[in-house]
Every structure is written in C-alpha cells, then in structure tokens.
Amino acid sequence: MGNELRFDGKVAIVTGAGNGLGRSHALLLASRGAKVVVNDLGGSSTGGGRGSEAADKVVAEIKAAGGEAVANYDSVEDGTKIVQTALDTWKRVDIVINNAGILRDTSFQKMTEQDWELIYRVHVLGAFRVTQAVWPHLRDQGYGRILFTASAAGIYGNFGQANYSMAKLGLVGFANTLAIEGRKKNILVNAIAPIAGSRMTETILPKEVVDALRPEYVSPLAAWLCHEDCQETGALFEVGGGFMAKLRWERTRGKVFKLGRAISPEAVQKSWESITGFTGATHPTDVASGMQPVMDNLTSQSKGGNEFIDVDAALGYEFPETRSSYDERDLSLYALGVGAAQDPLDTKELQYVYELHGEGFRPLPTYGVIPALNSVLKMSAEGKQAPGLNYGLDRVLHGEQYTELLRPLPAKATLRHKGRIKDIFDKGKNALVVTEVTSYDAQTGEPLVRNEITTFVRGAGGWGGERGPVTDIPPPERAPDAVITEKTHENQALLYRLSGDWNPLHADPEFARNFGFQKPILHGLCTFGYVGRHVIKAFANGDPRLFKSIRVRFADTVLPGETLRTEMWKDGERVIIRCKAVERDKVVISNAAVELHKEIPTAQAKPAAQASAPAAASGSSASARVFGAIRAYVAQHPELITQVANVYLFKLTQPDSAWTLDLKNGAGSVQEGAQGKADCTLELTDADFLAMTSGKADPQKLYFGGKLKITGNVMASQKLGFLAKVGPAGEGSAPAKASAAPAPDSGGEKTGNGQAPAIFKALGERLAQKPELARELGAVIQFLVTGPKGSWVVDGRETPGVREGTVEKPDTTVRISDEDLVTLKEDPQSITRLYMQGKLRVDGDVLAARRLRFL
C-alpha cells in the first residue's frame, strides 16, 4: 500500500515484549519493517523468576513472518545491556517503548516496603535505565521516538495499587520533561495509559472483560506515536477497546487573593465555589502557563477589604446589562410621589402629571434615578450581587446620590442600563460603595442619564483603604437666595414607593420599629425629588429641561408628614442646596448642588430606516421638503397671519425633528426646531407625517388611533386646511390633503355612506319645530364624526339649529364614530357608557354634553 506507515530501516526496543501489550507492539512494528529488540526477563507478573522462552517465542513469530528481531533477556534495571544488544546487532536505535511492568497489588495498610520498592525498580528505575542508556545515541543522530506506558490507576488512583499508581503517574511526569529536553534534537516523547487484557490486568478485571480488551486495539496508537511522521510530543493518551483519547490538565479559574493582606481560612471557605468550580476552566500546558496566575498576582497589591467587602473582587465589576421602559403614566406617578401638583391649578407643576398639558408634558429630571435604581434593586432581589460584597440590606443606607441628565428625558422610552462598581472607600468604621449606572436610549444607543449611587455600609470599614475624595459643598455664609417650604403628606412614602423602591422600611410599621424608627420613614430619593423640583421652580422658571445634574448627601431621615424647607444659593450655573425637616430642625440633605444648563440640550437623532440624500439637519429629507414647500406658500400668502393667528409646533419622531410654523407673528415663518411658545403642538412619527401630508393617511384616524397627539389649542389645528393648497413638496411627499388636524374643515371630504347626515338633518328639523330644546341645551356643540368622517355644529345659543361644518370656539367638542352616534340616538342613556369605554370623547364643557339626551 502506497500510503502505509512504514518503519523500514528503523530499530526499535520494546521492553516486556514477551506477552500482552509488548508482544503486540513488537509484532506490529516488525510487520511494518522495523528491526525489533524483543526484551523480556521471562518472570511472572509479580516479578518472580526469569527465563528466555517468552522473548524467543516472539522473535520466532517475527522471523516466521519475514521480519527481523533479536531477543534480550535482561532486566530493565540493566538498561545499558538492552540498548547494547541493539547497537551490537544493528548499530543504532530509533525507537524505545518502555512497556515492562509487574504488579504487587495489596491495600496500603498491608503493603510492604518490598512491594513498594519492587514496583518502583521495574517501572520507574527500569524505564530510567533504558532511556538514559539510549538518550546520547538519539541526540547524536538527531532523531528518536520514546513511548512510556502509564496507567489509568496512575491518573485516577485505584484501590490496592498505591505503589503501581505512584510509578505510573511518575512515568507521565518523566515523559513530559524528556519531551521538553528532547524537542530540539527531534526526540519526541509521549505516554499512553492502555486498557488491555494482559497478565497484569487479569488480576483486577473480570475474565470476559480481559478477553474483550485485546492488546491489538492499543498497538496502532503506539505505532503511530513512534512513527517519524508523527510530531506529537509531551502528550498522554488513554487507549483500549477501540477507544483513543488525548488527556490534558484542566484547572478551575480559581480565586486570586491579592497580596498585601492576610488570607484567612474563613476567606478560603467563602471562596470555595470559585476555587473548585470548573465554569470557565483553563488548560495549562506547561510550567509557565501553570504559574501564570501566580506570577501575575506577584505584581499586584491588594486594595484591602474584610469579611463584608473584598475590594479586589468587587471594584470594577460590571453588572449584566438590563432593560426597562417607562411612559407618561410612570412619570406622572413619580411626580405625584415627590409632591408635584399639590396645587392642581399650578400650570408649571401640572406639566409633570398631565400628558395633555397645553405647553407640553415635561418629565421631572430627578426621575432619571428611578430606572437605574430599580435595575439594581431587581438584580438584588434576584440574588445578583457583585462578587466581594457580602452584606445584606440590614447594613446599608443610601448615603449619597449623583444624577446627571445628558439631555432632557423623553416622555417615554425603553432604556438599557450598564452598571459597574466604580469606587469603594474606607471611612473607618463604615464603608462607601459607589455604583455607577449609565442608562441609554435602547433605540439610538444615545446615553441619557448617568447615576452614581453611593451606598453607606455600616460596620464594613476599617481595612485601612482609601477614604475617598472630599465632596463637601458648604452653603455660603449668607441668607439663601430662595427658600421653598412644602409639607409632605402622611402617606407620601406609600405613594412614592409605587415608583419602585419596595424596601419595607418605608411601608411596614413593625419593620420600621425593629430598626429603631417610630414609623416608616420617607425614602431619601423622595426628598431628593422634592429639592430637585424646588430648584427648577426657583431658578429655571419651572422649565425642567434646563436641569443638568444634582448631587446630594442624605444627612438624616424624614418622616412622612413632616415639612421640608429647601434653602438655595445661586452660584453661577450651580445652585447650592440645604434641606431641613422643619419640625425637628434637622438637616436632612446636605452637601448638595444642582447644575443648570444655559440652553436646553437637543436630542440625538434616531437612525432613519434608510438613508436619503441630501439629508436635513434633523428629520428626513422628505419631511424637510414638505416644510420647505409650506415655507414658500406662507411667503406667498401673508393673509394667513390674520386668518390663522396661531403658532404651531410639529414634533416628529423616528427620526426626531421639530418644526415651528409661525402664522401669528410678522410675515409668518417656517423654522426648524422648537422656536418660542407654540399655541398648538402636533406630535406624530415622521412616517405618519409624510403619509398624512401626501393624502395616504387620514388625520382623524391618526388622531383617534393615538398616532397623532395634539396639545394646547386643539381647535387651532382645524385652521391648517390651507395645507391642501401648498402643492407638491418634492420627491417622497405630496401636498397636504386637507389638514394636519384631527377634524376636517367645512370644505373637507364628505361621504354619504354613514347615518350621521340623516341624524343631524332630523335633529335640525326637530330643533326648528321645538326651539325650547335649543334653549335647554344652551351651548354650542361641535360634533366630529368618524367612519365616515364629517362635522356638524349643534347651536343651542346664538343661532339655534344644526349646520354642517365647524365653528372656531365651541363650548363643547364631541368626537364619536358614526356607528356609536347611531347607538346614542337610539339609546340616549348610553352616553355615560360610551364615554367610560373611550368611544365618546368630550372636550370643553363636559356638563353641556350631558344635556344631549334630547337626541
């Protein structure tokens, strides 16, 4: 066979070759052209006696098959004589298989020194003598292959074979070292741990198993490892019964104790899982890789710690990324939780809790801590703690908080949170652990909020570590520039905890008493929200978008129902804060400051679904062209200023952009961005805006489907009907259909398929017959009907009657579908049910709507 592995011209020594494995190795090598020294002392499997019959018989078999062989009857302890036989016969040696061995099995308790010594002499000393005798010849000729015979007993241990296990694993170490020393001279050394039937294994394995484990299943691997084409060296293989596998050392990642502090048995006990767990195990291949963790650690210095905090393990740890979402409801609930809108007629405070606020809904910026803290609390509840932090909730207090908004919070968002242990400080008896959490817009990847949560850990300090920077912010020695005093409610903690802080200390009276408090205490972050809101009111003209960051230290507890007094000093763009609980004259927030922006930061544009060129600075080029066409139309029609007299803000999303249409001031204008105060704000996605202005989407359907949000002067949106006359706005858009408003104007599209026209015609006839019904109504009601769309005015005041179209300032606006209008006509009592189900929307004078039962 052309691809047969041959050993022509090679001389091999096989020790213990009179029986079993050795015989099989010798026969296979000889059959492939090797000249073989068949060594066998001829003794028993336990080492007794000697003779020549076993070796001679194998030599005879080789010669009968046409091969070359010579017998040697020396003990492997006389290794020099065995090697000399090869040199005398063929003048060289290329291969050595150290296979000779005996057994002296007995339990360690019964093992004699002779049992131990004899096994050592045959297996270890004998292999040493043979290999040492041949080593110089292999080096001189620059070639050699050596194979040692180990055993599973040496790898894993086996009862009654302490001496044998010692010897066999010793041969593995011997082989590994020779592999290193012989590599440069092309002397490759390996070891096998065979499972085969032999005189030795028959004492420890059942006969039927021994019969099945033929030596011939082992020898092919031995032959390959001894072939000149094989470049494997320093390896250990298990082989037998048709199975062959390479073994390697595996080591756990382990636990590294930084040097410079005492390592206690208790520390080892606590780290036992890390020391013994094989998750992320490594596989060192040599002494250097085995020593690498130790050598790396020699250059390190422990940052210290104790039973509660292992600074080396915890510092820099990065938590798994988490996600969360919030919307206007969450923001409103939070705002109520920190005392906002106690005066429901305060329009500046109302913007924090009412999503349809005329000037736009504004999130309180201090809410920025809530998603981050909730992500930390959620991981804590799931038992996910940073390694090295070995304390419970009973030891911790929220010591300090820093929250920075990289831009104003959106009204709703999905966030990604990335957290890490940023700093750990030793404060003597106690310790501080600083967790940094950065929250990103999940859609754009834009960072929105950065939080530093400083946890005060009682009784966990004292290791002599860094004390940390001085963060004191003393107030000026003068009267405050502004003071706001506000009383908290008795249930303030119960309301605030709905934003996510579930610690029973703030809700459970018995739990609070167990910790030495007369009743549940207010969350520090609730007070944090109060003072942040006070600064916005005093120094940002109530505009939360100018809020940049806040840093506070929680100095004392607050009890729900107590009065908070926030004292504020203006210092450039910074406001220094001190907050007191008035009833106890206790400072509850100290070393605190808020930074304000000079200008409102803008949002990072979200990635568009596909590129368009040339792209506008914000928004898509298509929507930019629409506004460009509107700008040109406004310039040609100055009469719009007197006809419309409103400022509109279009807020588009995905991607974000904003456009101001001013039809109130000067000659009118269209500008990118939010410019000044808008009378009417329309919010929708960029795609819906393009669909609406191209006639592909119905404004009413967008509005009632929640895709178009209108705030401010809703009726002003109905004055945008002129947009239908703007004309083509360029590629990708078309002229506005009729209006971006939810209600069509009097010249809008009408269809005769619905029942509304007939209903309002009949109503008009009835009012003409019974004018007292109009007086009973006493109001002007605008009906905006959908499916199909239409608009009618029911006038019960100035010009009694019913007419199709719209009116500028109705007392009440009713929005209803054609189908539900039929229901209302047939069952006037259904008005309440339709309203509660959201099928009937009433804006303006709601009480006037109740008088519609005359239908």
Side-chain angles (χ1 to χ4, degrees):
M1 292 170 51
N3 60 351
E4 184 180 66
L5 294 174
R6 300 287 300 174
F7 293 86
D8 298 318
K10 296 292 190 289
V11 176
I13 295 174
V14 182
T15 66
N19 292 282
L21 282 171
R23 171 181 173 274
S24 177
H25 299 336
L27 292 175
L28 179 58
L29 290 176
S31 71
R32 296 299 181 100
K35 301 176 177 65
V36 183
V37 174
V38 179
N39 163 258
D40 200 287
L41 182 64
S44 68
S45 62
T46 59
R50 60 187 306 158
S52 60
E53 181 180 355
D56 289 342
K57 185 176 179 180
V58 175
V59 170
E61 286 185 78
I62 292 173
K63 289 182 176 180
E68 295 185 56
V70 62
N72 176 276
Y73 318 113
D74 293 304
S75 167
V76 287
E77 292 183 68
D78 296 320
T80 302
K81 295 180 180 179
I82 298 172
V83 174
Q84 193 60 47
T85 298
L87 296 174
D88 290 343
T89 307
W90 294 297
K91 310 302 182 187
R92 63 181 294 121
V93 180
D94 302 284
I95 299 167
V96 174
I97 299 180
N98 288 296
N99 174 73
I102 61 171
L103 287 175
R104 297 291 288 259
D105 291 350
T106 185
S107 67
F108 188 67
Q109 182 179 352
K110 298 177 180 179
M111 187 173 291
T112 65
E113 188 170 336
Q114 183 182 12
D115 294 331
W116 181 273
E117 180 68 19
L118 186 58
I119 290 295
Y120 161 75
R121 282 166 47 198
V122 173
H123 289 273
V124 182
L125 182 61
F128 162 74
R129 293 270 173 83
V130 173
T131 306
Q132 189 182 48
V134 79
W135 192 256
H137 302 284
L138 301 182
R139 283 176 54 86
D140 289 345
Q141 67 191 21
Y143 178 85
R145 299 291 186 266
I146 300 176
L147 187 64
F148 287 90
T149 306
S151 169
I155 300 169
Y156 307 112
N158 195 38
F159 185 88
Q161 292 190 305
N163 48 1
Y164 184 73
S165 300
M166 169 274 303
K168 288 303 186 183
L169 193 58
L171 291 176
V172 174
F174 186 15
N176 289 341
T177 296
L178 292 186
I180 296 171
E181 294 186 10
R183 190 189 305 270
K184 288 185 179 181
K185 294 294 186 178
N186 195 24
I187 305 173
L188 307 185
V189 185
N190 293 286
I192 59 172
I195 304 173
S198 66
R199 292 185 303 164
M200 293 190 295
T201 56
E202 67 185 11
T203 66
I204 57 174
L205 294 175
K207 183 179 186 304
E208 60 271 18
V209 175
V210 173
D211 292 342
L213 297 177
R214 297 168 52 191
E216 288 79 5
Y217 294 143
V218 175
S219 296
L221 175 61
W224 164 243
L225 291 172
C226 293
H227 195 273
E228 60 183 336
D229 289 350
C230 181
Q231 297 302 302
E232 189 76 42
T233 191
L236 171 63
F237 296 86
E238 284 188 292
V239 54
F243 172 75
M244 299 180 188
K246 181 178 179 180
L247 279 74
R248 63 178 178 179
W249 291 103
E250 183 176 38
R251 182 170 66 188
T252 69
R253 292 182 64 86
K255 165 69 176 178
V256 175
F257 295 94
K258 298 293 184 180
L259 304 180
R261 64 178 171 130
I263 304 173
S264 67
E266 292 77 16
V268 175
Q269 180 187 32
K270 288 183 178 180
S271 301
W272 197 241
E273 184 175 345
S274 297
I275 293 171
T276 60
F278 276 89
T279 300
T282 61
H283 301 89
T285 57
D286 50 39
V287 172
S289 59
M291 289 286 291
Q292 193 63 49
V294 176
M295 300 307 295
D296 291 343
N297 200 36
L298 292 179
T299 61
S300 70
Q301 187 66 28
S302 173
K303 293 181 175 64
N306 51 36
E307 60 181 308
F308 301 111
I309 297 177
D310 183 338
V311 181
D312 302 311
L315 190 60
Y317 173 76
E318 295 184 357
F319 291 94
E321 183 177 299
T322 60
R323 284 189 173 227
S324 66
S325 298
Y326 70 85
D327 56 20
E328 291 96 333
R329 184 181 183 279
D330 300 300
L331 294 168
S332 298
L333 187 62
Y334 169 78
L336 293 171
V338 296
Q342 291 192 36
D343 177 2
L345 300 182
D346 183 342
T347 59
K348 291 294 186 183
E349 293 272 300
L350 191 61
Q351 67 182 335
Y352 302 136
V353 298
Y354 180 45
E355 67 278 8
L356 298 179
H357 192 280
E359 296 183 11
F361 181 80
R362 303 290 183 213
L364 266 175
T366 48
Y367 178 82
V369 69
I370 298 299
L373 185 65
N374 285 350
S375 73
V376 173
L377 290 174
K378 184 174 184 290
M379 286 190 288
S380 178
E382 294 172 351
K384 297 175 182 176
Q385 175 70 295
L389 301 184
N390 307 307
Y391 50 78
L393 285 175
D394 58 320
R395 288 189 173 271
V396 304
L397 294 172
H398 197 159
E400 297 183 5
Q401 177 63 40
Y402 174 73
T403 299
E404 178 184 3
L405 276 76
L406 304 177
R407 72 162 173 93
L409 292 175
K412 55 185 175 181
T414 297
L415 304 177
R416 294 186 297 110
H417 309 288
K418 294 183 178 181
R420 69 185 181 101
I421 303 299
K422 181 185 178 186
D423 287 307
I424 300 177
F425 300 122
D426 183 356
K427 292 296 186 179
K429 183 179 179 181
N430 308 303
L432 296 180
V433 178
V434 182
T435 303
E436 180 186 65
V437 181
T438 302
S439 301
Y440 301 82
D441 185 314
Q443 185 172 1
T444 67
E446 174 190 9
L448 291 180
V449 189
R450 190 172 70 85
N451 282 282
E452 289 183 9
I453 304 163
T454 300
T455 303
F456 181 88
V457 189
R458 296 182 296 175
W463 67 83
E466 295 183 26
R467 293 190 61 83
V470 176
T471 57
D472 293 345
I473 309 174
E477 295 183 1
R478 57 181 171 84
D481 298 317
V483 177
I484 294 180
T485 301
E486 198 167 15
K487 183 175 176 62
T488 63
H489 289 287
E490 293 289 343
N491 67 349
Q492 199 74 54
L494 295 176
L495 180 57
Y496 177 83
R497 75 189 302 269
L498 298 179
S499 289
D501 191 333
W502 40 259
N503 191 333
L505 182 62
H506 306 295
D508 190 325
E510 184 175 354
F511 189 92
R513 284 192 294 271
N514 289 338
F515 280 85
F517 299 102
Q518 65 186 47
K519 63 179 183 178
I521 63 174
L522 194 61
H523 309 68
L525 283 179
C526 181
T527 311
F528 171 86
Y530 267 85
V531 300
R533 188 166 52 79
H534 290 168
V535 172
I536 294 169
K537 179 178 289 189
F539 294 102
N541 193 29
D543 192 337
R545 296 173 298 174
L546 291 170
F547 190 100
K548 180 181 179 182
S549 68
I550 179 171
R551 183 184 298 278
V552 305
R553 182 178 300 164
F554 301 109
D556 207 336
T557 57
V558 176
L559 298 177
E562 290 188 321
T563 304
L564 297 175
R565 172 186 168 91
T566 304
E567 302 169 338
M568 295 164 275
W569 292 263
K570 192 72 166 64
D571 180 23
E573 300 304 318
R574 184 175 72 159
V575 179
I576 299 174
I577 309 165
R578 180 173 62 199
C579 185
K580 293 182 178 180
V582 174
E583 290 80 359
R584 293 178 289 121
D585 193 30
K586 286 283 189 180
V587 175
V588 294
I589 283 186
S590 64
N591 297 287
V594 168
E595 287 187 277
L596 298 172
H597 289 293
K598 291 183 179 180
E599 297 180 354
I600 299 171
T602 57
Q604 174 179 308
K606 296 178 182 178
Q610 60 182 20
S612 60
S618 63
S620 71
S621 60
S623 58
R625 284 194 291 271
V626 172
F627 284 106
I630 296 172
R631 181 185 294 113
Y633 185 85
V634 170
Q636 297 170 6
H637 298 274
E639 70 276 7
L640 290 172
I641 304 303
T642 57
Q643 293 174 0
V644 179
N646 282 291
V647 178
Y648 300 89
L649 174 61
F650 290 83
K651 297 174 69 174
L652 309 183
T653 61
Q654 301 177 18
D656 287 351
S657 67
W659 298 86
T660 301
L661 171 59
D662 188 343
L663 297 176
K664 186 177 184 179
N665 302 297
S669 64
V670 176
Q671 294 178 279
E672 189 173 6
Q675 309 292 333
K677 181 179 178 181
D679 298 298
C680 179
T681 300
L682 300 93
E683 300 180 57
L684 67 166
T685 66
D686 189 271
D688 286 336
F689 171 77
L690 293 174
M692 183 180 72
T693 55
S694 65
K696 296 178 181 178
D698 187 318
Q700 275 191 303
K701 290 183 178 179
L702 291 175
Y703 182 79
F704 288 112
K707 294 183 177 182
L708 170 62
K709 179 178 176 182
I710 303 179
T711 54
N713 184 355
V714 177
M715 298 309 296
S717 66
Q718 297 186 34
K719 295 185 177 183
L720 291 172
F722 73 90
L723 292 177
K725 305 174 185 178
V726 169
E731 182 183 352
S733 66
K737 183 176 181 181
S739 171
D745 62 17
S746 58
E749 177 189 6
K750 303 293 185 294
T751 65
N753 297 330
Q755 298 190 50
I759 291 174
F760 284 106
K761 180 181 178 181
L763 179 59
E765 293 173 352
R766 187 178 183 198
L767 289 180
Q769 295 171 1
K770 294 186 177 183
E772 67 273 12
L773 291 178
R775 291 192 296 272
E776 179 184 327
L777 179 61
V780 177
I781 299 183
Q782 174 77 66
F783 279 85
L784 303 176
V785 183
T786 61
K789 64 181 179 179
S791 57
W792 286 267
V793 177
V794 179
D795 192 338
R797 190 178 62 210
E798 297 178 0
T799 308
V802 177
R803 62 184 181 274
E804 192 173 5
T806 60
V807 65
E808 184 171 346
K809 292 183 179 180
D811 297 297
T812 305
T813 299
V814 176
R815 292 173 172 84
I816 191 170
S817 72
D818 189 275
E819 179 182 357
D820 291 326
L821 180 66
V822 174
T823 301
L824 183 61
K825 178 185 76 70
E826 296 174 349
D827 178 15
Q829 302 303 319
S830 66
I831 186 170
T832 302
R833 174 174 57 81
L834 292 172
Y835 181 80
M836 296 303 293
Q837 291 176 345
K839 295 181 178 181
L840 170 68
R841 174 167 174 171
V842 180
D843 294 308
D845 185 354
V846 178
L847 292 178
R850 295 180 62 84
R851 297 194 287 272
L852 290 172
R853 288 189 175 91
F854 71 82
L855 284 171

